[in-house]
Amino acid sequence: MTQSVVVQVGQCGNQVGCRFWDLALREHAAVNKKGIYDEALSSFFRNVDTRSGDNGPDIYKGKICSLKARALLIDMEEGVVNEILQGPLRDVFDSKQLITDVSGSGNNWAVGHKIYGCQYRENIVEKLRKTAEHCDCLQCFFIIHSMGGGTGSGLGTFVLNLLEEEFPEVYRFVTSVYPSGEDDVITSPYNSVLAMKELNEHADCVLPIENESLFEIVNKIHQMINSGKLGSTVKQNSLVTSSAGSAKTLQEKPFDAMNNIVANLLLNLTSSARFEGSLNMDLNEISMNLVPFPRLHYLVSSLTPLYTLADVNVPSRRLDQMFSDAFSRDHQLIQADPKHSLYLACALLVRGNVQVSDLRRNIERLKPSLHFVSWNQEGWKTGLCSVPPVGHSHSLLALANNTCVKPTFIELKDRFMKLYKKKAHLHHYLQIDGMEQSCFSEAVSSLSDLIEEYNELDATKGGPRIDPSRLKIAV
Amino acid sequence: MSIVTVQLGQCGNQIGQEVFSALCSDIRGTHGLCSKKENESYQGSCKERFFCEEESAVPVARAVLVDMEPKVISQTLSMAARSGHWKYSSHSHFCQKQGSGNNWANGYSVHGPRHKEAIMNLVQKEAEKCDRLGGFFTIMSMAGGTGSGLGAFVTQCLRDAFPTSFILNHVVWPYGTGEVIVQNYNSVLTLSHLYHSSDALLVHENDVIHKICAQLMNIKQISFRDVNQVIAHQLGSVFQPTHTAGGGSGYSRNPLGDLMETLVPHPEFRMLGLRNIPQMPESSLPYSTFSWPGLIKHLRQMLIANAPMEEGIDWQVRPPHPSSIPSTNKPLHFNTSIANLVILRGKDVHGVDLGSFQDPSLYTSWLNPQDAFNAWKTPRAFNKYEKSAALVSNSQFLLKPLDSIVGKAWNMFASKAYLHQYTKFGIQEEDFLDCFTTLEQVISSYTNL
């Protein structure tokens, strides 16, 4: 069994990360009734003997003593991390996993990447090494950050670079929260485009998330609950947005519901690697199957169902509805419509009481309405994990490598150009040591190239299918 | 003679466990429908072939379990032990932590050489436990990374270490509409490599077995366990002991050797398909009766029309008329055979007329029909079926699926998609081209029968 380490950077990264750890504990508590430290738990948690203090040795088998998250919490201001450490999760992190500063990055990518990057490089490397040493077989780093700010964006991508240098064999999965059009941070387009270049070059897989989509999902759930249309009550802990049953008992903050969705995404993504199933789908398989060309590694994700009703027997018809929903616009975690764009590849990770025939039936049913690129007409990767998420009898995570990310990137580039043409706020960046005009032009050029690659693929959509001729053998 | 089974990857291990389970429950069953002496001889022969009687009360499977991640093997071991009737040896498995990531190159070029010694040590130990080693039976899928890539590597190692032993690879072909996106690449790489080191490839296609589950077994929500159990039943019907035609009164002592001799007369033609009749849910068995003529007739038509099961057979397909112009005018859907083997188990086997299978028009012209067709029989019924017949065929059964896989892989290769994932582990474009060439050759050979 392999281990993964979560690196949460910046305010957004840490808030999402906090929800992730909370829900992970909840999930494992639901599955692991005997309190034995097993392989599934070890993928994200260490078991430490704290009787002799925080520096106790790791316990690899046997009863759970004290679980510590395999995580690194990085933030250049103290507020968020301090809150975590005073909250119910304080025992899950030890002080050696934190890197904080006081003044923040002022929403400036250059401050995060160049100044703090340089300053904290040694510290970060050392802490990463320590975390890696505690792992028997480290497979993947998960980075959680936002693109629009300064720390998550700048320092986060600096860490990404570091990971590639220091741990080249370990996969790097990045969950990035992209800014929306009405983002109140004026310089978010600069920060995002500068960060994009790093993601293009150093990440194995990127899962872009947009706050707008998360917000719409949260609203949709509220409407459903309050409209009384459901007839029976909704199971509280099944809501993809809820923290019910987890350690958090204080009043939920506004972003908590949205962050829970992202946390659930990460849990579902890693479920097949942690739990058993009849067709396992590990993280290295996700990268292998969904990334046909090295730079096209942006995956659109969708989670269903969003909630379960309290009555237990879900008939088969509802199961098929789950598959249909995964492809609808409403369930995507970015503002995109994969159904009307071109699929390069698609992965379906099913959890719970679903069998291969259900999977096949739904693929057959949905395939005709989806457009796949000509050389990957049967481009489906499937996984079956027997353990469902908390509160559900089954669930589905769909990951699509689809050209529908293109509009998001084009919009980002447009917003960038609006500012850049006028050289607005540029001096804040250029005055930082190590930043030059060329950083900007290279970054936007990298983004343009990416958009162009998607354009070329889109151009093949709907055209006549000409299969290349096969090798001829002399008879 | 004993057969050592090597289970590779998730698929290989899941199927392997079902196979041993089926073999064990068959010999323990009381529906043998034959004399006590016959039954005891059958049991003894099966045990010698597949199990080892160690000090433990329960027979131990002669198997080596290999996987690059631990979850499946631990499940397999515990399921076997839980049955209470057989188990795996606790020292015969090898696993790692990371898996192969569905990457053939990872399985073949990285895991293979790295773990060669450890794996071959386990195989050597199992081989030494056999009084007489009859050969190796490997179980793998070709869509993933471990079964396919590491499996191809291990097969090569087996060939190098045991040059005179028979190696039969059981290969599972994935569903056509994708289980793994790069499955066609992995399949092309696997098949071409196996062709060079294995003696024969015995193939099961998931699509075909799925149909059997849906239409014959009436299973509503088909799971991989159901699929694997059907595969195990079909394999059991081939590998359980039988009397060969030439042999004396005892059970055949060299099953793999006999299989190769009858079915693989030419090294270019190594792909074997498997059909079984009848196939039905266990609950229906007490209500069904069969006659040998009926079963044989259906089986023959399944061969000729390339039907996967006894329902939905196209009865219009007929062998070409002997006096018509040969080969180029063969009716389009007709399945030409090189060699066939029919295995009959159960009541009244000895009187069965198999003449229809010896019709020369079923076969290519370059073998005598007497040599091209063989039959093995035993009066001992298999797995509660009063009468059952299996067909192992070296024919054009797999031509269309193979062609389809190679076509899709070529299509993807032309766009260079995913190639960077393979080149980073050492499999280059030229290697792919070699594999394509090998398989186009195989396709061409089978087409021109």
Side-chain angles (χ1 to χ4, degrees):
Chain A
M1 190 76 77
T2 54
Q3 289 81 41
S4 301
V5 171
V6 174
V7 182
Q8 33 195 92
V9 191
Q11 173 175 22
C12 171
N14 277 290
Q15 284 177 331
V16 174
C18 179
R19 300 313 316 132
F20 170 77
W21 291 111
D22 205 1
L23 292 180
L25 282 170
R26 183 179 78 157
E27 184 170 89
H28 281 283
V31 175
N32 188 344
K33 301 285 187 203
K34 296 192 196 143
I36 306 271
Y37 180 67
D38 59 9
E39 300 234 323
L41 261 177
S42 88
S43 64
F44 280 113
F45 295 94
R46 286 166 52 212
N47 189 17
V48 180
D49 186 352
T50 45
R51 284 171 297 182
S52 44
D54 236 8
N55 280 327
D58 275 20
I59 308 172
Y60 291 100
K61 280 198 178 21
K63 277 204 132 343
I64 295 174
C65 185
S66 172
L67 289 176
K68 297 277 181 215
R70 298 188 193 278
L72 209 57
L73 287 70
I74 304 178
D75 201 356
M76 293 296 102
E77 46 178 25
E78 298 177 311
V80 181
V81 173
N82 277 344
E83 218 190 296
I84 297 178
L85 292 179
Q86 283 156 11
L89 287 177
R90 59 180 165 276
D91 291 324
V92 172
F93 304 107
D94 78 46
S95 55
K96 295 191 250 64
Q97 296 167 266
L98 316 169
I99 298 178
T100 54
D101 202 311
V102 188
S103 29
S105 305
N107 285 327
N108 188 329
W109 184 92
V111 171
H113 195 96
K114 304 280 182 188
I115 297 188
Y116 286 121
C118 208
Q119 190 177 337
Y120 283 99
R121 189 182 208 283
E122 301 259 329
N123 196 347
I124 295 174
V125 173
E126 200 203 305
K127 296 206 154 101
L128 283 171
R129 288 218 169 282
K130 258 272 118 130
T131 337
E133 270 162 39
H134 287 300
C135 297
D136 204 3
C137 180
L138 177 59
Q139 186 182 49
C140 184
F141 283 108
F142 284 98
I143 297 184
I144 314 180
H145 71 150
S146 71
M147 300 282 279
T151 305
S153 178
L155 187 54
T157 48
F158 180 81
V159 173
L160 178 62
N161 253 298
L162 254 190
L163 291 175
E164 189 176 20
E165 267 176 50
E166 302 285 324
F167 304 90
E169 313 255 306
V170 180
Y171 286 92
R172 297 172 290 285
F173 274 65
V174 186
T175 308
S176 307
V177 181
Y178 279 68
S180 58
E182 310 89 42
D183 197 86
D184 47 5
V185 175
I186 302 180
T187 50
S188 66
Y190 283 161
N191 296 331
S192 306
V193 173
L194 288 163
M196 275 291 287
K197 173 165 179 288
E198 306 298 317
L199 292 182
N200 279 342
E201 292 170 17
H202 305 290
D204 286 313
C205 266
V206 178
L207 300 159
I209 315 269
E210 283 181 307
N211 274 343
E212 274 168 74
S213 303
L214 297 178
F215 193 62
E216 277 170 21
I217 291 176
V218 170
N219 272 345
K220 187 171 163 177
I221 294 179
H222 277 161
Q223 272 174 1
M224 287 304 278
I225 296 179
N226 296 330
S227 72
K229 267 193 205 153
L230 293 177
S232 17
T233 47
V234 171
K235 268 186 174 177
Q236 273 306 304
N237 63 357
S238 72
L239 292 174
V240 76
T241 52
S242 110
S243 318
S246 64
K248 205 166 172 55
T249 44
L250 301 170
Q251 189 189 32
E252 282 192 20
K253 302 251 220 43
F255 277 106
D256 270 355
M258 290 160 62
N259 291 342
N260 278 333
I261 301 176
V262 184
N264 273 310
L265 163 68
L266 288 172
L267 282 178
N268 284 341
L269 188 66
T270 54
S271 61
S272 190
R274 291 175 289 138
F275 302 115
E276 55 174 40
S278 61
L279 189 58
N280 295 334
M281 182 156 106
D282 209 341
L283 293 164
N284 47 10
E285 293 175 28
I286 293 177
S287 169
M288 172 72 179
N289 283 284
L290 292 174
V291 185
F293 299 101
R295 279 158 51 98
L296 301 182
H297 53 245
Y298 294 85
L299 307 177
V300 180
S301 45
S302 67
L303 283 174
T304 56
L306 301 175
Y307 52 80
T308 339
L309 301 178
D311 47 67
V312 179
N313 294 313
V314 182
S316 202
R317 197 174 58 86
R318 291 275 173 81
L319 183 62
D320 286 11
Q321 185 60 41
M322 178 176 84
F323 282 89
S324 302
D325 282 342
F327 291 93
S328 87
R329 226 201 136 104
D330 304 341
H331 285 76
Q332 308 300 320
L333 299 189
I334 64 168
Q335 299 281 294
D337 193 5
K339 248 185 158 160
H340 295 104
S341 305
L342 191 63
Y343 274 90
L344 302 178
C346 186
L348 297 175
L349 216 187
V350 187
R351 295 180 68 173
N353 187 17
V354 184
Q355 302 301 343
V356 64
S357 56
D358 301 311
L359 201 48
R360 304 232 61 74
R361 179 181 69 244
N362 280 289
I363 292 179
E364 301 289 320
R365 186 172 62 87
L366 291 165
K367 201 168 158 332
S369 57
L370 304 171
H371 307 281
F372 272 82
V373 74
S374 67
W375 40 260
N376 206 358
Q377 288 284 302
E378 278 88 27
W380 297 90
K381 163 72 181 156
T382 54
L384 290 167
C385 173
S386 359
V387 177
V390 175
H392 294 266
S393 59
H394 45 250
S395 78
L396 171 64
L397 165 67
L399 292 171
N401 192 341
N402 187 307
T403 56
C404 68
V405 287
K406 200 178 60 171
T408 308
F409 296 154
I410 292 179
E411 252 188 67
L412 197 59
K413 184 179 165 197
D414 288 344
R415 276 185 257 141
F416 174 93
M417 291 311 288
K418 252 195 187 149
L419 292 175
Y420 190 57
K421 279 199 188 117
K422 304 205 192 112
K423 301 206 188 310
H425 303 282
L426 217 48
H427 57 285
H428 292 302
Y429 292 80
L430 295 178
Q431 73 193 15
I432 308 288
D433 213 8
M435 281 300 282
E436 290 163 9
Q437 194 99 5
S438 59
C439 294
F440 281 84
S441 48
E442 277 170 23
V444 76
S445 151
S446 168
L447 183 56
S448 302
D449 287 343
L450 184 66
I451 294 173
E452 194 42 45
E453 274 189 63
Y454 279 110
N455 272 332
E456 277 171 31
L457 285 165
D458 264 337
T460 66
K461 182 180 170 210
R465 165 119 177 249
I466 311 166
D467 288 339
S469 42
R470 300 263 293 270
L471 292 176
K472 297 264 185 292
I473 301 290
V475 174
Chain B
M1 269 191 166
S2 313
I3 300 176
V4 171
T5 302
V6 184
Q7 310 180 174
L8 296 143
Q10 174 167 26
C11 175
N13 280 292
Q14 284 176 191
I15 291 183
Q17 187 262 324
E18 297 292 350
V19 170
F20 284 107
S21 206
L23 294 175
C24 197
S25 89
D26 178 42
I27 55 177
R28 287 179 56 249
T30 50
H31 296 85
L33 298 180
C34 57
S35 70
K36 189 162 173 241
K37 183 163 163 265
E38 183 81 54
N39 203 22
E40 278 171 10
S41 178
Y42 182 84
Q43 285 175 340
S45 183
C46 172
K47 279 202 190 142
E48 193 205 345
R49 252 181 224 191
F50 296 107
F51 297 93
C52 194
E53 304 272 13
E54 291 175 353
E55 325 77 39
S56 66
V58 188
V60 176
R62 296 187 190 279
V64 176
L65 293 73
V66 180
D67 201 357
M68 291 296 103
E69 60 109 2
K71 297 194 293 285
V72 182
I73 287 190
S74 74
Q75 245 188 312
T76 307
L77 291 174
S78 72
M79 277 184 82
R82 255 185 287 155
S83 74
H85 304 300
W86 68 279
K87 63 176 189 172
Y88 285 105
S89 153
S90 39
H91 308 292
S92 289
H93 60 265
F94 177 79
C95 64
Q96 289 293 284
K97 307 205 200 260
Q98 278 232 38
S100 302
N102 287 165
N103 192 325
W104 192 93
N106 196 3
Y108 186 85
S109 310
V110 176
H111 290 305
R114 200 181 282 175
H115 306 301
K116 175 178 173 173
E117 218 185 298
I119 297 174
M120 291 312 285
N121 268 341
L122 290 179
V123 173
Q124 188 69 41
K125 274 207 234 133
E126 277 300 323
E128 278 162 21
K129 280 198 239 166
C130 306
D131 274 341
R132 281 167 69 203
L133 178 64
F136 297 95
F137 181 56
T138 72
I139 314 182
M140 61 220 271
S141 76
M142 60 183 198
T146 301
S148 69
L150 182 60
F153 186 83
V154 167
T155 306
Q156 239 169 268
C157 295
L158 288 175
R159 174 54 70 217
D160 293 334
F162 301 89
T164 54
S165 293
F166 294 105
I167 302 177
L168 176 65
N169 287 77
H170 177 245
V171 188
V172 176
W173 290 24
Y175 287 98
T177 55
E179 291 172 27
V180 168
I181 292 176
V182 290
Q183 62 187 42
N184 297 312
Y185 278 167
N186 292 339
S187 304
V188 164
L189 290 162
T190 308
L191 291 172
S192 55
H193 276 77
L194 286 181
Y195 232 76
H196 295 305
S197 25
S198 167
D199 288 309
L201 279 67
L202 183 58
V203 175
H204 269 115
E205 301 162 75
N206 272 351
D207 281 304
V208 169
I209 306 295
H210 191 103
K211 273 204 208 115
I212 293 178
C213 287
Q215 291 176 240
L216 296 182
M217 309 295 276
N218 276 330
I219 304 173
K220 291 280 176 284
Q221 211 191 8
I222 301 169
S223 66
F224 270 116
R225 184 123 200 259
D226 299 316
V227 172
N228 293 346
Q229 284 175 340
V230 171
I231 292 179
H233 173 85
Q234 293 203 344
L235 289 174
S237 72
V238 173
F239 289 112
Q240 286 290 46
T242 54
H243 304 282
T244 53
S249 55
Y251 278 105
S252 154
R253 312 253 17 236
N254 189 5
L256 286 185
D258 292 337
L259 196 84
M260 302 305 175
E261 204 188 307
T262 60
L263 289 173
V264 190
H266 188 297
E268 185 66 14
F269 300 90
R270 290 185 222 241
M271 311 261 267
L272 308 178
L274 177 46
R275 300 284 185 267
N276 195 314
I277 189 174
Q279 193 105 58
M280 58 178 46
E282 202 177 301
S283 49
S284 311
L285 279 175
Y287 307 104
S288 321
T289 49
F290 299 97
S291 70
W292 281 119
L295 289 175
I296 299 300
K297 188 163 168 220
H298 277 77
L299 194 60
R300 181 177 183 268
Q301 195 61 22
M302 277 159 71
L303 168 65
I304 297 175
N306 198 354
M309 55 186 173
E310 62 256 43
E311 264 178 39
I313 303 179
D314 184 354
W315 289 94
Q316 301 294 339
V317 180
R318 297 221 182 285
H321 205 251
S323 62
S324 66
I325 306 160
S327 60
T328 45
N329 271 12
K330 279 219 170 88
L332 275 172
H333 302 295
F334 176 73
N335 184 40
T336 312
S337 305
I338 295 169
N340 286 312
L341 169 64
V342 166
I343 304 170
L344 303 175
R345 299 176 186 275
K347 223 165 136 194
D348 306 325
V349 255
H350 291 293
V352 181
D353 175 18
L354 290 165
S356 57
F357 273 97
Q358 288 167 315
D359 182 353
S361 60
L362 264 55
Y363 299 94
T364 59
S365 50
W366 30 273
L367 266 187
N368 250 327
Q370 288 101 299
D371 299 325
F373 175 74
N374 278 280
W376 298 350
K377 301 178 187 179
T378 170
R380 208 274 190 185
F382 172 65
N383 210 6
K384 304 189 187 134
Y385 283 82
E386 180 198 71
K387 302 184 177 84
S388 69
L391 166 69
V392 186
S393 173
N394 190 345
S395 65
Q396 294 172 318
F397 266 167
L398 296 158
L399 182 52
K400 255 179 84 189
L402 178 61
D403 191 56
S404 162
I405 289 175
V406 174
K408 290 186 213 170
W410 183 250
N411 211 356
M412 201 183 263
F413 183 68
S415 71
K416 304 214 182 306
Y418 298 100
L419 288 181
H420 69 285
Q421 308 270 16
Y422 291 87
T423 51
K424 79 176 174 201
F425 290 115
I427 300 292
Q428 307 297 335
E429 279 185 41
E430 304 86 67
D431 300 311
F432 271 94
L433 282 171
D434 286 340
C435 295
F436 278 111
T437 314
T438 305
L439 291 182
E440 292 285 5
Q441 182 70 59
V442 174
I443 293 172
S444 170
S445 309
Y446 271 100
T447 314
N448 293 319
L449 280 183

